[in-house]
Amino acid sequence: MEFGQIQPSITTRQSLPVATAAFAQLAYSLTVRDLRTENKSAALGILLSSGMVLVTALTFYIFMNFIGGRSAPIRTDDITFIVTGFLVFFFHIRTVSAVAGSLKPGLMRHSRASPFLFVCVKGFATLYKMTFATILLMVLNYLLRDYWEMQDGLTLIIILLVAWMGGVAVGIIMMAANRYLVWGNLVQMTYVRICFFTSGKFFVAGHLPERIHSAMDWNPLFHVLDQARGAMFLNYQAVTTSVIYPLMVYGAALVLGMMIENYVRTTFSVSHTPMGSG
């Protein structure tokens, strides 16, 4: 080599198993840190998640009885019926909100950071909290009220994972909307409001009039929630909804979300301002 000639840099690439293990370790460490930073302790986060679901469900239960609302049209406990609906709803919506706000511009300056990493951290942190909140509510209901009803536990777990996966997929799209559109928060708020009224938390899909059923049938969360009730309650079969439809819709949304994540990662700029901000 001649004097003064620049020696080319040598880039060492990690093997796929090593890179995957390193990513998993980093995601795990950031997930634990996120749980402890948000609520000081993971136990407090679980209690807050459980308390929010229970208080919201009981509030609507009291309100429906105050205005003379009918009880659940299936032979089951009314409180369990409503709490089940809110559990699935919060499983999805809280994942959407967490993933939508997962992008951290300050940490994106680090070479190992990526939008996919932050999505994994927020997604798994929400899954952890909501899973334990679900278990805690069911155990408390059994201990305090001596009531337990479960027809197919494995199917219920799968349905909850579908609701979570849909929340991750929609959350990635909302993350990009918040990043690149000044009215991205309005899109997210509109989505939450629409899901609140069309998810069927207070109704049994199989007993709805055809006109109302058709107005809610487009929402994948409506199918997910009804399938969860079919898996849980012994006296109800979810025959008017399908688990295939939400899997197809959320799967397509997840593919779109991964494409958006790749775009965000390759075009990220700390000095970027959302479109429409002036």
Side-chain angles (χ1 to χ4, degrees), residues 19-225:
T20 303
F23 179 86
Q25 182 179 5
L26 180 60
Y28 173 78
S29 300
L30 290 177
T31 301
V32 174
R33 179 181 179 273
D34 182 79
L35 288 169
R36 292 178 176 175
T37 302
E38 184 177 354
N39 294 301
K40 303 301 181 183
S41 69
L44 181 59
I46 295 172
L47 291 175
L48 289 176
S49 298
S50 305
M52 179 65 69
V53 174
L54 185 59
V55 170
T56 306
L58 289 178
T59 300
F60 277 93
Y61 172 77
I62 295 172
F63 176 75
M64 291 175 66
N65 280 271
F66 177 76
I67 64 175
R70 296 176 59 186
S71 59
I74 56 178
R75 289 179 295 174
T76 186
D77 179 64
D78 288 354
I79 295 180
T80 306
F81 176 83
I82 296 179
V83 170
T84 303
F86 275 95
L87 273 174
V88 180
F89 176 77
F90 276 118
F91 230 102
H92 180 79
I93 293 300
R94 287 198 172 183
T95 305
V96 171
S97 300
V99 173
S102 62
L103 192 62
K104 300 182 182 298
L107 294 179
M108 281 294 293
R109 298 175 181 177
H110 297 276
S111 58
R112 299 180 65 184
S114 66
F116 181 70
L117 174 63
F118 300 131
V119 167
C120 290
V121 169
K122 286 295 185 179
F124 283 116
T126 306
L127 178 64
Y128 173 84
K129 289 187 291 186
M130 290 305 301
T131 298
F132 276 87
T134 302
I135 296 174
L136 181 61
L137 286 175
M138 289 184 175
V139 171
L140 287 176
N141 191 42
Y142 176 74
L143 294 177
L144 299 178
R145 306 179 67 244
D146 193 23
Y147 186 84
W148 178 269
E149 185 174 2
M150 181 67 64
Q151 178 175 231
D152 191 345
L154 179 60
T155 301
L156 180 63
I157 293 174
I158 294 174
I159 293 300
L160 290 176
L161 288 176
V162 171
W164 174 77
M165 182 196 75
V168 172
V170 176
I172 296 175
I173 298 174
M174 298 300 173
M175 177 188 70
N178 292 335
R179 175 66 183 170
Y180 294 103
L181 301 174
V182 70
W183 37 270
N185 287 331
L186 180 60
V187 175
Q188 181 179 338
M189 187 182 304
T190 303
Y191 177 80
V192 173
R193 295 294 183 270
I194 291 175
C195 285
F196 184 86
F197 291 107
T198 62
S199 60
K201 296 183 300 299
F202 312 109
F203 313 105
V204 178
H207 297 167
L208 285 175
E210 182 64 27
R211 179 172 56 87
I212 300 178
H213 191 285
S214 300
M216 297 182 177
D217 191 60
W218 63 270
N219 190 349
L221 191 59
F222 175 75
H223 291 256
V224 171
L225 196 147

Side-chain angles (χ1 to χ4, degrees), residues 222-275:
F222 175 75
H223 291 256
V224 171
L225 196 147
D226 187 59
Q227 290 293 319
R229 283 178 173 153
M232 184 171 187
F233 299 126
L234 301 176
N235 299 299
Y236 179 65
Q237 297 293 328
V239 295
T240 62
T241 56
S242 170
V243 71
I244 302 300
Y245 174 70
L247 279 175
M248 293 176 58
V249 174
Y250 289 146
L254 189 60
V255 173
L256 178 61
M258 290 297 99
M259 296 171 61
I260 291 175
E261 185 275 336
N262 180 70
Y263 176 80
V264 173
R265 174 163 40 85
T266 55
T267 63
F268 184 84
S269 173
V270 176
S271 60
H272 173 78
T273 55
M275 294 176 56

